Amino acid sequence: MVKFIDDFLNGITMYRLMLYVLIVLVAAAIVLSSVGALPFKPVSLLLSTFFLTAACWAANTIFAKVFKAQTNLESVHITALILTLIITPLNSTGEILSLGGISVLAVAGKFFLAIGRKHVFNPAAFAVALAPIIFGFVGASWWVGTAWMFPFVLAGGLLIVRKVRRFSLMLGYIITA
């Protein structure tokens, strides 16, 4: 089984793995919300996911044209899905402007907060940290951090740690925590 996992991980990029893990987390959340295990309506979660993805894609397209930069579509989807998982799903249409603003901030961070094409900060985290200051929006809620979601988060995290071969770093964190 370990060889199968290693072969799979060696056959895909880190971006692709991250995208797959985030898709599984969002899909699991939709299923769990459908059965009442999470306190959100599946429709709210779906709307948030689609809106954040569309807003991130649109902002990325505009910034890429302005800066004549080559884009990575996986990166845009990763940012949108991270935002989906750390911002409470839409409760009302009045929140759409805030989500759009956060999406633009996150994508802008990809273009402005990079040195040598490497991000200084995680763009999604940066945007959510600024959201309360700029939009008066509460910001991150990490609603995905529940007992129901734990097995999915753990499995995805272990796959990512295996891919980057950082078990000692993970172990150091666990011992410290």
Side-chain angles (χ1 to χ4, degrees):
M1 181 66 160
V2 173
K3 182 177 176 2
F4 173 77
I5 292 170
D6 285 341
D7 288 345
F8 170 74
L9 294 176
N10 291 332
I12 62 172
T13 65
M14 186 62 207
Y15 275 98
R16 184 70 44 96
L17 175 61
M18 194 68 194
L19 183 61
Y20 289 165
V21 167
L22 293 169
I23 288 170
V24 167
L25 291 176
V26 170
I30 291 168
V31 170
L32 289 170
S33 67
S34 296
V35 298
L38 295 178
F40 308 108
K41 295 177 185 164
V43 171
S44 295
L45 187 52
L46 283 167
L47 287 174
S48 292
T49 303
F50 289 127
F51 181 79
L52 286 164
T53 301
C56 285
W57 176 83
N60 190 70
T61 301
I62 292 166
F63 280 116
K65 287 185 184 201
V66 168
F67 291 106
K68 296 179 176 67
Q70 192 173 19
T71 62
N72 178 341
L73 194 56
E74 288 172 336
S75 178
V76 172
H77 289 292
I78 289 168
T79 298
L81 292 174
I82 289 172
L83 291 174
T84 298
L85 293 167
I86 64 174
I87 299 173
T88 303
L90 285 172
N91 290 317
S92 70
T93 55
E95 297 169 351
I96 287 178
L97 287 177
S98 295
L99 287 183
I102 291 171
S103 299
V104 171
L105 279 176
V107 172
K110 291 176 175 286
F111 289 87
F112 293 110
L113 299 173
I115 298 173
R117 300 186 76 194
K118 297 205 184 260
H119 303 295
V120 176
F121 301 105
N122 177 302
F126 176 77
V128 172
L130 285 180
I133 298 165
I134 296 173
F135 305 112
F137 187 78
V138 175
S141 66
W142 188 239
W143 61 265
V144 75
T146 67
W148 287 103
M149 289 296 295
F150 179 73
F152 302 100
V153 173
L154 179 64
L158 288 172
L159 285 172
I160 291 166
V161 169
R162 180 82 179 179
K163 173 75 175 168
V164 297
R165 294 176 168 80
R166 296 284 193 266
F167 281 105
S168 60
L169 187 63
M170 180 188 76
L171 184 60
Y173 171 79
I174 290 170
I175 291 169
T176 302

